[in-house]
Amino acid sequence: MPRRPYRGDGVNQPQDSNERSDWTVLLLALMMFIAPAIGVPSEEMLQDTLKSIVISFGTLMACFMFFWQWKNQDTKLLWHPLVWLPLGLAVYAVGSMAWSHAFLAGVEAVRWFVFSLLLWLGINSLTYERVPRLALGIHLGATLASVWTALQFWIDFKYFPQGPNPASTFVNRNFFAEFLVCTLPFSIFLLTRQRKSPWILALTLSLAFNLTALLMTGARSALIGTMLLLAIVPVILFLYWDQLEASSWSIRKCVGVAALLVFSVLGLGSIPTNNAQLITEYGGGTGIDRAFSRTLSITKASEYTQGSFSIRAVMWKATGRMIAARPLGGVGAGAWEVDAPLYQNPGTQLETDFYAHNEILQLLAEYGLLGWVFLACLLGYLVLAALRTWTNRSSEGRREAPLRALTLASLLVLLLVSNAGFPWRLAGTGALFAISLSILAASDARLNRQVFPRSMALGWERQNSKLMLGMSAFLLAVALYVAEQAMASESKLVRAIKIALTISKSGEPSNPQWDKAKAEMLALMEQGIRINPHYRKLTPMAADELASWGDWTNAIWIYESVLASRPNVVAIAANISRGYMQLGDYQKSMEYLSRARKLQPTAPAVRSVEVILLTRMGEHAQAARIVRELFAANTVDYDLVYSAYLIGIRSQDWKLAIQALMLRIDKWPSEAADGWLKLGDIYNRAEVKDEAKALESYQAALKAAPVQAKEAVWAKVPPAYKAQLPGPATP
């Protein structure tokens, strides 16, 4: 068969493309529809695990179909300098497996490989005529995801497990909002290409619905991104109006579309929430109320001292120190969460997050000099792409300009929200990132640029396509195995955690009736950890419950499996020290306490364990001295306060015991009744004897106790004081 000639538009297609469906683009469109639209209806699988499976399989299937159409033909395929950027990160990630955290680096290598493949497939399959199909998949996926969000906001729809909600199928509303705001330019692109009124109506209403769902989330970075789009998109439409199908609309239709969009958002956004969690947290309100209040909260000083920004600031500062300490090689791909505790301020203990909540900083911290190169090249390309879009006055350039400008707008918003979250690491948003770059690169190829960055046509023989078909099939089999293992591990761990939580909620974890459930839970934990010992997000949750029952033997081995994967997590080392102390193995306890001290000598968890250990060893005076120092520095946690109370009682240091109880009452109001009872008992002691304060404390205990517990609290009040109290209120 003769070689197929290279097409001048920069993208090869089969000559009989009018008779054959382009399965590559259709599969990519289907992938971008399914990934945000579907979720796991139970907690036995993480939502982004499912989305990662959809993106990985969708990309590999599209790759298989791409090479299938060329299996009997020679051709030329395209390469663009952009592809080197994620490929370089993937190669670095593979290399960092040798000296950094191997598992996390391997995950990063796979992520950037899929990103590179998706980018390359888009470059070689996205003609201008095919882009709308892909954009439609993106828009429909965003719309169905928005339906779930609206149902969660309006009627407290609970089909998908939620963290901060309404979050659609994304668990966290920020994750959903960051994805959704990046899809809006593609929805606008689709709308402005329509001539037929039914399509115009459907797209206008669905776009308004998506905007309303975005308001419902109250995600501030995404809302700021929306405001940025409201400033940019009208300028793009004005500049390139003559290139849009919308230019054929009558003035009446244009005004009608704009009015329909605005009034639909206002109408839908005025429906109040019935989400119980949102009502508890924010007092309810409408989507518009929520968007305004959340955006205005940025101006509150408390947000920067106590809110989420203050928490992010701790992580960002630690990441800055990480970058300064390892400027060339970085800490290794994916290793931010491993090394972050080493770079926090003394006494700071923030170990519950797994990402820096700033993609730029985390990239530089993990990849070092290569991260700087990636970022500089990416930003340089985007600026160059914007300049070329503006300066290209040819008919082809003007035709491409709206698509290029709206894609750049999507990428601009993505870069904006990347400064307060981690959207690149989430499957759906990461795939949208790769697709957006591929749209620009494919456009470069069509415009046939001869200066950097230029697309390059490489000869490709049919034998290579057959080889790549085999490789694609192999990778699909590997992906199937990895997906099955991930699902099995997550399912076992989550089932074990749910059993543990059920036992804890019973209030009688030591009851023999739970022995069978405990055995099942431990078996599931062991099986899940054996499959994947690196699930720090899940594994410690079961250990925490075991520790709360006093089953330190099993809690310790689970904690130790976590510490083997994340050796710098101070809280885990402190918990293991606490466990060995409870088992009476003071030598082992001191060993892990010393390990925790080296990481964060002034962390509250470390000082708390130190106090408890000194108390157990009879060093009450030294323990009391440390407690007073910590209280003076306003360093308080639950275990420390409880230990201070015990030290005060055992050493008859009543002032310390009273201070500890007052802190407990103030910091943990749910335990105020017990705290006031104990305080009354101290004032009733002969050594202290203050009957007025004792009476006041018992009265406060009765007042603080919930209705169902008032009788139990009343029973603990000494008879001498009952005559002076009104007694428990009857329900």
Side-chain angles (χ1 to χ4, degrees):
M1 182 179 291
R3 290 178 180 267
R4 184 166 300 285
Y6 176 61
R7 292 173 58 90
D9 64 1
V11 177
N12 263 322
Q13 301 176 60
Q15 286 182 347
D16 56 348
S17 60
N18 290 331
E19 300 176 8
R20 295 165 57 182
S21 298
D22 181 48
W23 286 101
T24 304
V25 176
L26 290 177
L27 282 171
L28 293 179
L30 183 63
M31 175 187 79
M32 292 308 298
F33 165 70
I34 293 175
I38 67 170
V40 185
S42 75
E43 295 178 334
E44 293 189 10
M45 183 178 179
L46 301 180
Q47 298 291 357
D48 206 60
T49 300
L50 174 63
K51 297 184 188 306
S52 297
I53 291 171
V54 171
I55 296 299
S56 298
F57 273 88
T59 302
L60 291 173
M61 284 298 300
C63 181
F64 184 90
M65 294 307 300
F66 178 82
F67 287 110
W68 179 267
Q69 71 178 354
W70 297 110
K71 67 184 186 300
N72 295 319
Q73 302 171 14
D74 296 340
T75 185
K76 287 182 180 290
L77 300 180
L78 301 180
W79 187 266
H80 193 283
L82 268 180
V83 184
W84 288 116
L85 298 183
L87 271 182
L89 297 182
V91 171
Y92 171 90
V94 171
S96 70
M97 292 176 69
W99 55 270
S100 186
H101 197 290
F103 175 81
L104 295 176
V107 171
E108 284 290 289
V110 171
R111 179 168 73 91
W112 287 117
F113 169 76
V114 173
F115 188 103
S116 305
L117 182 57
L118 188 52
L119 172 57
W120 183 83
L121 284 171
I123 292 170
N124 281 276
S125 60
L126 285 173
T127 63
Y128 184 82
E129 290 74 20
R130 291 172 180 166
V131 169
R133 304 176 200 171
L134 183 56
L136 182 60
I138 294 170
H139 174 74
L140 292 177
T143 302
L144 186 51
S146 296
V147 169
W148 305 134
T149 293
L151 291 175
Q152 289 156 4
F153 186 86
W154 286 333
I155 64 171
D156 204 2
F157 180 69
K158 296 182 181 296
Y159 186 71
F160 302 111
Q162 296 287 293
N165 62 89
S168 185
T169 62
F170 288 70
V171 165
N172 187 306
R173 55 183 167 241
N174 290 331
F175 304 166
F176 165 67
E178 289 162 0
F179 170 81
L180 184 61
V181 71
C182 295
T183 68
L184 296 179
F186 295 103
S187 301
I188 293 167
F189 172 72
L190 277 176
L191 174 60
T192 56
R193 283 179 53 86
Q194 305 306 315
R195 283 180 176 267
K196 296 181 179 179
S197 295
W199 276 103
I200 295 171
L201 177 63
L203 287 168
T204 301
L205 290 174
S206 56
L207 176 57
F209 190 83
N210 293 355
L211 282 166
T212 306
L214 191 55
L215 299 180
M216 293 171 179
T217 66
R220 288 168 291 189
S221 63
L223 290 171
I224 293 171
T226 305
M227 289 187 282
L228 181 61
L229 287 178
L230 289 175
I232 292 175
V233 169
V235 175
I236 293 173
L237 298 182
F238 175 78
L239 290 174
Y240 303 112
W241 186 254
D242 60 323
Q243 300 299 317
L244 302 170
E245 294 293 339
S247 62
S248 64
W249 299 353
S250 65
I251 295 177
R252 181 179 178 182
K253 180 176 285 189
C254 290
V255 173
V257 168
L260 180 62
L261 184 64
V262 171
F263 285 109
S264 295
V265 172
L266 291 175
L268 294 169
S270 298
I271 302 174
T273 182
N274 281 306
N275 184 304
Q277 183 175 334
L278 292 179
I279 293 172
T280 301
E281 291 177 0
Y282 305 103
T286 66
I288 294 174
D289 294 335
R290 182 159 167 72
F292 272 107
S293 62
R294 290 284 291 167
T295 304
L296 290 175
S297 69
I298 298 173
T299 63
K300 296 180 180 178
S302 60
E303 177 60 26
Y304 301 93
T305 56
Q306 302 173 3
S308 61
F309 183 86
S310 65
I311 298 173
R312 283 173 167 81
V314 172
M315 294 185 283
W316 296 342
K317 290 174 183 177
T319 309
R321 296 185 195 100
M322 196 183 300
I323 294 169
R326 305 285 291 274
L328 297 179
V331 298
W336 180 89
E337 65 166 293
V338 178
D339 284 15
L342 301 177
Y343 297 95
Q344 292 179 8
N345 278 330
T348 302
Q349 189 182 337
L350 186 68
E351 300 168 330
T352 57
D353 275 288
F354 312 100
Y355 305 107
H357 285 73
N358 187 306
E359 290 284 16
I360 310 303
L361 290 178
Q362 187 161 347
L363 177 77
L364 301 178
E366 291 182 350
Y367 292 85
L369 182 60
L370 182 61
W372 286 101
V373 172
F374 176 94
L375 187 61
C377 291
L378 175 64
L379 294 178
Y381 170 76
L382 294 177
V383 170
L384 195 58
L387 289 173
R388 287 182 173 167
T389 302
W390 170 253
T391 57
N392 191 334
R393 302 298 179 181
S394 67
S395 58
E396 294 84 357
R398 293 282 297 174
R399 177 178 181 247
E400 298 269 353
L403 172 61
R404 291 174 63 89
L406 289 169
T407 303
L408 285 165
S410 175
L411 287 166
L412 177 61
V413 172
L414 175 62
L415 292 175
L416 172 68
V417 299
S418 296
N419 285 279
F422 42 94
W424 301 6
R425 295 163 197 276
L426 298 173
T429 318
L432 189 61
F433 185 12
I435 283 173
S436 297
L437 291 177
S438 72
I439 290 172
L440 291 175
S443 176
D444 289 341
R446 289 192 295 272
L447 296 175
N448 200 23
R449 290 315 216 169
Q450 298 302 318
V451 293
F452 182 83
R454 68 177 184 274
S455 298
M456 296 172 286
L458 305 174
W460 189 261
E461 297 182 353
R462 68 195 75 179
Q463 291 84 353
N464 295 332
S465 293
K466 294 176 181 178
L467 178 65
M468 293 307 297
L469 279 173
M471 180 62 70
S472 300
F474 171 75
L475 291 177
L476 279 167
V478 171
L480 181 63
Y481 172 77
V482 172
E484 188 276 331
Q485 290 291 291
M487 289 187 290
S489 179
E490 288 182 10
S491 175
K492 292 177 185 298
L493 293 176
V494 172
R495 284 162 57 198
I497 292 166
K498 291 172 77 172
I499 293 172
L501 290 171
T502 300
I503 295 172
S504 292
K505 289 177 181 177
S506 73
E508 298 179 325
S510 59
N511 193 313
Q513 70 174 351
W514 295 113
D515 289 349
K516 184 177 179 181
K518 289 178 181 178
E520 181 185 0
M521 180 207 67
L522 291 170
L524 288 169
M525 286 300 300
E526 192 275 331
Q527 294 165 13
I529 291 172
R530 190 189 314 127
I531 296 172
N532 186 351
H534 303 287
Y535 260 123
R536 183 191 154 201
K537 294 180 178 71
L538 298 175
T539 309
M541 296 172 67
D544 291 343
E545 298 306 317
L546 286 163
S548 71
W549 312 337
D551 187 356
W552 283 102
T553 300
N554 286 307
I556 285 171
W557 74 259
I558 297 174
Y559 281 136
E560 287 181 333
S561 75
V562 178
L563 200 63
S565 175
R566 308 294 198 278
N568 300 322
V569 181
V570 176
I572 299 296
N575 283 344
I576 296 172
S577 175
R578 193 191 308 273
Y580 279 117
M581 178 174 52
Q582 295 291 339
L583 296 177
D585 191 339
Y586 294 154
Q587 183 178 350
K588 273 282 191 181
S589 178
M590 186 60 74
E591 177 186 326
Y592 278 96
L593 178 59
S594 299
R595 182 170 175 176
R597 274 182 186 151
K598 290 179 182 178
L599 295 169
Q600 280 282 345
T602 58
V606 176
R607 302 307 301 273
S608 176
V609 173
E610 183 179 11
V611 167
I612 298 170
L613 187 56
L614 287 170
T615 305
R616 288 292 188 93
M617 297 170 69
E619 302 289 342
H620 297 297
Q622 186 178 351
R625 179 182 57 80
I626 295 173
V627 167
R628 288 192 178 92
E629 291 175 359
L630 294 173
F631 283 177
N634 199 29
T635 301
V636 176
D637 73 359
Y638 184 86
D639 290 328
L640 180 64
V641 168
Y642 188 71
S643 298
Y645 166 73
L646 293 178
I647 292 169
I649 294 295
R650 290 169 183 172
S651 62
Q652 296 191 347
D653 187 339
W654 308 117
K655 185 178 180 180
L656 179 61
I658 290 170
Q659 184 182 11
L661 287 172
M662 293 304 296
L663 282 169
R664 181 185 176 196
I665 291 167
D666 180 55
K667 301 290 185 182
W668 293 274
S670 63
E671 300 189 9
D674 185 65
W676 284 115
L677 272 175
K678 286 182 168 60
L679 200 58
D681 291 342
I682 290 177
Y683 286 124
N684 192 40
R685 297 180 75 102
E687 301 91 333
V688 181
K689 207 59 179 178
D690 188 328
E691 293 185 0
K693 287 188 176 180
L695 180 64
E696 183 182 324
S697 298
Y698 290 131
Q699 190 171 14
L702 283 168
K703 183 178 180 181
V707 173
Q708 64 272 21
K710 288 188 184 296
E711 287 286 353
V713 171
W714 175 254
K716 295 179 181 179
V717 176
Y721 292 93
K722 286 184 177 180
Q724 304 176 60
L725 294 172
T730 55

Short mmCIF file of all heavy atoms in Angstrom, two decimals, residues 667-692:
data_model
loop_
_atom_site.label_atom_id
_atom_site.label_comp_id
_atom_site.label_asym_id
_atom_site.label_seq_id
_atom_site.Cartn_x
_atom_site.Cartn_y
_atom_site.Cartn_z
N LYS A 667 -12.35 24.49 76.37
CA LYS A 667 -11.96 24.00 75.04
C LYS A 667 -12.85 22.87 74.53
O LYS A 667 -13.00 22.70 73.32
CB LYS A 667 -10.51 23.52 75.07
CG LYS A 667 -9.48 24.58 75.49
CD LYS A 667 -9.31 25.63 74.41
CE LYS A 667 -8.19 26.60 74.79
NZ LYS A 667 -8.03 27.67 73.79
N TRP A 668 -13.42 22.09 75.45
CA TRP A 668 -14.24 20.94 75.04
C TRP A 668 -15.60 21.03 75.74
O TRP A 668 -15.85 20.33 76.73
CB TRP A 668 -13.51 19.64 75.38
CG TRP A 668 -12.28 19.46 74.56
CD1 TRP A 668 -12.18 18.92 73.31
CD2 TRP A 668 -10.95 19.87 74.93
NE1 TRP A 668 -10.89 18.96 72.86
CE2 TRP A 668 -10.10 19.53 73.83
CE3 TRP A 668 -10.39 20.47 76.04
CZ2 TRP A 668 -8.73 19.79 73.85
CZ3 TRP A 668 -9.02 20.73 76.05
CH2 TRP A 668 -8.20 20.40 74.97
N PRO A 669 -16.48 21.89 75.25
CA PRO A 669 -17.78 22.13 75.91
C PRO A 669 -18.62 20.87 76.07
O PRO A 669 -19.43 20.79 77.01
CB PRO A 669 -18.47 23.13 74.97
CG PRO A 669 -17.35 23.79 74.22
CD PRO A 669 -16.30 22.74 74.06
N SER A 670 -18.46 19.89 75.18
CA SER A 670 -19.26 18.67 75.30
C SER A 670 -18.94 17.91 76.58
O SER A 670 -19.72 17.07 77.02
CB SER A 670 -19.02 17.77 74.08
OG SER A 670 -17.67 17.35 74.03
N GLU A 671 -17.79 18.19 77.19
CA GLU A 671 -17.40 17.51 78.42
C GLU A 671 -17.47 18.44 79.62
O GLU A 671 -16.89 18.16 80.68
CB GLU A 671 -15.98 16.94 78.29
CG GLU A 671 -15.86 15.93 77.15
CD GLU A 671 -14.53 15.20 77.16
OE1 GLU A 671 -13.77 15.36 78.14
OE2 GLU A 671 -14.26 14.47 76.20
N ALA A 672 -18.18 19.56 79.44
CA ALA A 672 -18.23 20.57 80.51
C ALA A 672 -18.89 20.02 81.77
O ALA A 672 -18.45 20.32 82.90
CB ALA A 672 -18.98 21.80 80.02
N ALA A 673 -19.95 19.22 81.62
CA ALA A 673 -20.65 18.72 82.80
C ALA A 673 -19.71 17.90 83.69
O ALA A 673 -19.67 18.09 84.92
CB ALA A 673 -21.85 17.88 82.38
N ASP A 674 -18.95 17.00 83.08
CA ASP A 674 -18.01 16.20 83.86
C ASP A 674 -16.92 17.07 84.46
O ASP A 674 -16.49 16.85 85.60
CB ASP A 674 -17.39 15.12 82.97
CG ASP A 674 -16.50 14.17 83.75
OD1 ASP A 674 -17.02 13.46 84.62
OD2 ASP A 674 -15.27 14.18 83.51
N GLY A 675 -16.47 18.08 83.69
CA GLY A 675 -15.45 18.99 84.20
C GLY A 675 -15.93 19.76 85.42
O GLY A 675 -15.20 19.89 86.42
N TRP A 676 -17.17 20.28 85.38
CA TRP A 676 -17.71 21.01 86.53
C TRP A 676 -17.89 20.10 87.74
O TRP A 676 -17.66 20.51 88.89
CB TRP A 676 -19.04 21.66 86.16
CG TRP A 676 -18.92 22.88 85.31
CD1 TRP A 676 -19.36 23.03 84.02
CD2 TRP A 676 -18.34 24.14 85.67
NE1 TRP A 676 -19.09 24.29 83.55
CE2 TRP A 676 -18.45 25.00 84.55
CE3 TRP A 676 -17.71 24.61 86.82
CZ2 TRP A 676 -17.98 26.30 84.55
CZ3 TRP A 676 -17.24 25.92 86.83
CH2 TRP A 676 -17.36 26.75 85.71
N LEU A 677 -18.31 18.85 87.50
CA LEU A 677 -18.44 17.90 88.61
C LEU A 677 -17.11 17.69 89.31
O LEU A 677 -17.02 17.73 90.55
CB LEU A 677 -18.97 16.56 88.09
CG LEU A 677 -20.48 16.36 88.01
CD1 LEU A 677 -20.79 15.02 87.36
CD2 LEU A 677 -21.12 16.44 89.39
N LYS A 678 -16.07 17.46 88.51
CA LYS A 678 -14.74 17.24 89.09
C LYS A 678 -14.24 18.50 89.80
O LYS A 678 -13.57 18.42 90.84
CB LYS A 678 -13.76 16.80 88.00
CG LYS A 678 -13.96 15.36 87.54
CD LYS A 678 -12.92 14.98 86.49
CE LYS A 678 -12.92 13.48 86.23
NZ LYS A 678 -14.17 12.93 85.75
N LEU A 679 -14.57 19.63 89.25
CA LEU A 679 -14.17 20.89 89.89
C LEU A 679 -14.88 21.05 91.24
O LEU A 679 -14.28 21.46 92.25
CB LEU A 679 -14.51 22.06 88.97
CG LEU A 679 -13.78 23.39 89.21
CD1 LEU A 679 -12.28 23.21 89.10
CD2 LEU A 679 -14.26 24.42 88.19
N GLY A 680 -16.18 20.70 91.29
CA GLY A 680 -16.91 20.75 92.55
C GLY A 680 -16.31 19.82 93.58
O GLY A 680 -16.22 20.15 94.78
N ASP A 681 -15.90 18.63 93.12
CA ASP A 681 -15.30 17.66 94.04
C ASP A 681 -14.00 18.20 94.65
O ASP A 681 -13.70 17.94 95.82
CB ASP A 681 -15.02 16.35 93.31
CG ASP A 681 -16.30 15.61 92.93
OD1 ASP A 681 -17.37 15.93 93.52
OD2 ASP A 681 -16.24 14.74 92.05
N ILE A 682 -13.22 18.93 93.83
CA ILE A 682 -11.98 19.52 94.36
C ILE A 682 -12.29 20.56 95.42
O ILE A 682 -11.72 20.57 96.51
CB ILE A 682 -11.14 20.13 93.21
CG1 ILE A 682 -10.57 19.02 92.33
CG2 ILE A 682 -10.01 20.98 93.79
CD1 ILE A 682 -9.80 19.53 91.13
N TYR A 683 -13.24 21.46 95.14
CA TYR A 683 -13.59 22.51 96.11
C TYR A 683 -14.25 21.93 97.36
O TYR A 683 -14.29 22.58 98.41
CB TYR A 683 -14.51 23.55 95.46
CG TYR A 683 -13.80 24.48 94.50
CD1 TYR A 683 -14.22 24.61 93.18
CD2 TYR A 683 -12.70 25.23 94.92
CE1 TYR A 683 -13.58 25.46 92.30
CE2 TYR A 683 -12.05 26.09 94.04
CZ TYR A 683 -12.49 26.20 92.74
OH TYR A 683 -11.84 27.05 91.88
N ASN A 684 -14.75 20.70 97.24
CA ASN A 684 -15.38 20.05 98.39
C ASN A 684 -14.37 19.29 99.25
O ASN A 684 -14.73 18.79 100.32
CB ASN A 684 -16.48 19.09 97.90
CG ASN A 684 -17.36 18.60 99.03
OD1 ASN A 684 -17.72 19.35 99.94
ND2 ASN A 684 -17.71 17.32 98.99
N ARG A 685 -13.15 19.18 98.77
CA ARG A 685 -12.12 18.46 99.54
C ARG A 685 -11.71 19.28 100.76
O ARG A 685 -11.69 20.52 100.72
CB ARG A 685 -10.90 18.18 98.66
CG ARG A 685 -11.18 17.27 97.49
CD ARG A 685 -9.92 17.05 96.67
NE ARG A 685 -9.02 16.15 97.35
CZ ARG A 685 -8.85 14.86 97.06
NH1 ARG A 685 -9.56 14.32 96.08
NH2 ARG A 685 -8.00 14.13 97.72
N ALA A 686 -11.31 18.56 101.78
CA ALA A 686 -10.93 19.25 103.03
C ALA A 686 -9.72 20.15 102.83
O ALA A 686 -9.61 21.21 103.45
CB ALA A 686 -10.62 18.20 104.11
N GLU A 687 -8.80 19.74 101.93
CA GLU A 687 -7.58 20.53 101.72
C GLU A 687 -7.88 21.88 101.05
O GLU A 687 -7.09 22.82 101.18
CB GLU A 687 -6.58 19.75 100.85
CG GLU A 687 -6.15 18.42 101.44
CD GLU A 687 -7.04 17.28 100.98
OE1 GLU A 687 -8.23 17.55 100.66
OE2 GLU A 687 -6.57 16.12 100.94
N VAL A 688 -8.96 21.94 100.29
CA VAL A 688 -9.29 23.16 99.55
C VAL A 688 -10.50 23.86 100.21
O VAL A 688 -10.47 25.05 100.49
CB VAL A 688 -9.59 22.86 98.07
CG1 VAL A 688 -9.91 24.13 97.32
CG2 VAL A 688 -8.43 22.11 97.44
N LYS A 689 -11.52 23.13 100.41
CA LYS A 689 -12.80 23.50 101.05
C LYS A 689 -13.25 24.93 100.78
O LYS A 689 -12.90 25.89 101.45
CB LYS A 689 -12.71 23.29 102.56
CG LYS A 689 -14.08 23.00 103.19
CD LYS A 689 -14.72 21.74 102.55
CE LYS A 689 -16.08 21.41 103.15
NZ LYS A 689 -16.69 20.25 102.52
N ASP A 690 -14.02 25.05 99.72
CA ASP A 690 -14.67 26.32 99.39
C ASP A 690 -16.09 25.96 98.98
O ASP A 690 -16.37 25.66 97.81
CB ASP A 690 -13.91 27.03 98.27
CG ASP A 690 -14.42 28.45 98.02
OD1 ASP A 690 -15.63 28.69 98.23
OD2 ASP A 690 -13.61 29.30 97.62
N GLU A 691 -17.00 25.95 99.97
CA GLU A 691 -18.35 25.46 99.73
C GLU A 691 -19.09 26.29 98.68
O GLU A 691 -19.89 25.76 97.90
CB GLU A 691 -19.13 25.44 101.04
CG GLU A 691 -18.62 24.41 102.03
CD GLU A 691 -19.48 24.33 103.28
OE1 GLU A 691 -20.48 25.09 103.35
OE2 GLU A 691 -19.17 23.51 104.16
N ALA A 692 -18.84 27.58 98.65
CA ALA A 692 -19.53 28.44 97.68
C ALA A 692 -19.13 28.06 96.26
O ALA A 692 -19.99 27.94 95.36
CB ALA A 692 -19.20 29.90 97.97
#
